[in-house]
Amino acid sequence: LCRSRPESTHHILVACRYSKRLWGLVAVWVSIPQADPSRWPVTGTVRDWWLSMGTLEGVPGRGFCSLLLVNLELWLERNTRIFKRAERPVHILLLKIKKEARTWGFAGAKHLSVLL
């Protein structure tokens, strides 16, 4: 995504500057300042990062787990860049995530709806 480091799942979803910008915008959108990358503990694996995110104080656990949608969209963006040679700015990807989250909410994702 950022073309500055070798790809790994951890880098793509957690450490990449594109991913961090997106997560920062998501943190503001859902009003969870703890989700801002500047507040994240240092982790070496996606599993460790995700477990640490699920235990942040003041964060609704199940609702936050629904934000796995962000990681899905980051991965799809990565694949689009590699296989279709097309890329979206981070603010456009955020709009797509917001639309998807609303759709999931209408479909019954009640924990995600709490965040919106």
Side-chain angles (χ1 to χ4, degrees):
L1 290 173
C2 65
R3 298 183 192 99
S4 68
R5 297 207 172 212
E7 275 193 349
S8 71
T9 306
H10 184 268
H11 180 76
I12 292 167
L13 300 178
V14 179
C16 173
R17 66 179 180 250
Y18 182 89
S19 301
K20 286 182 174 184
R21 277 195 308 256
L22 179 63
W23 273 107
L25 294 172
V26 168
V28 171
W29 167 51
V30 296
S31 300
I32 300 177
Q34 299 89 325
D36 187 278
S38 66
R39 296 181 176 212
W40 292 350
V42 175
T43 58
T45 67
V46 172
R47 181 182 185 277
D48 291 344
W49 170 77
W50 191 250
L51 290 174
S52 72
M53 297 302 287
T55 60
L56 292 174
E57 190 173 321
V59 177
R62 288 186 174 176
F64 191 80
C65 286
S66 297
L67 288 178
L68 188 61
L69 168 65
V70 176
N71 286 347
L72 171 64
E73 292 299 336
L74 279 167
W75 193 259
L76 293 174
E77 175 65 18
R78 176 248 182 217
N79 289 345
T80 298
R81 289 175 181 218
I82 290 175
F83 300 115
K84 295 184 180 178
R85 301 207 189 301
E87 57 186 70
R88 287 177 279 211
V90 72
H91 68 279
I92 299 298
L93 186 56
L94 178 64
L95 291 174
K96 184 175 188 289
I97 290 169
K98 287 179 177 182
K99 182 178 177 184
E100 282 293 315
R102 280 191 291 276
T103 301
W104 285 23
F106 291 138
K110 62 182 176 183
H111 299 295
L112 181 60
S113 296
V114 170
L115 296 177
L116 306 180

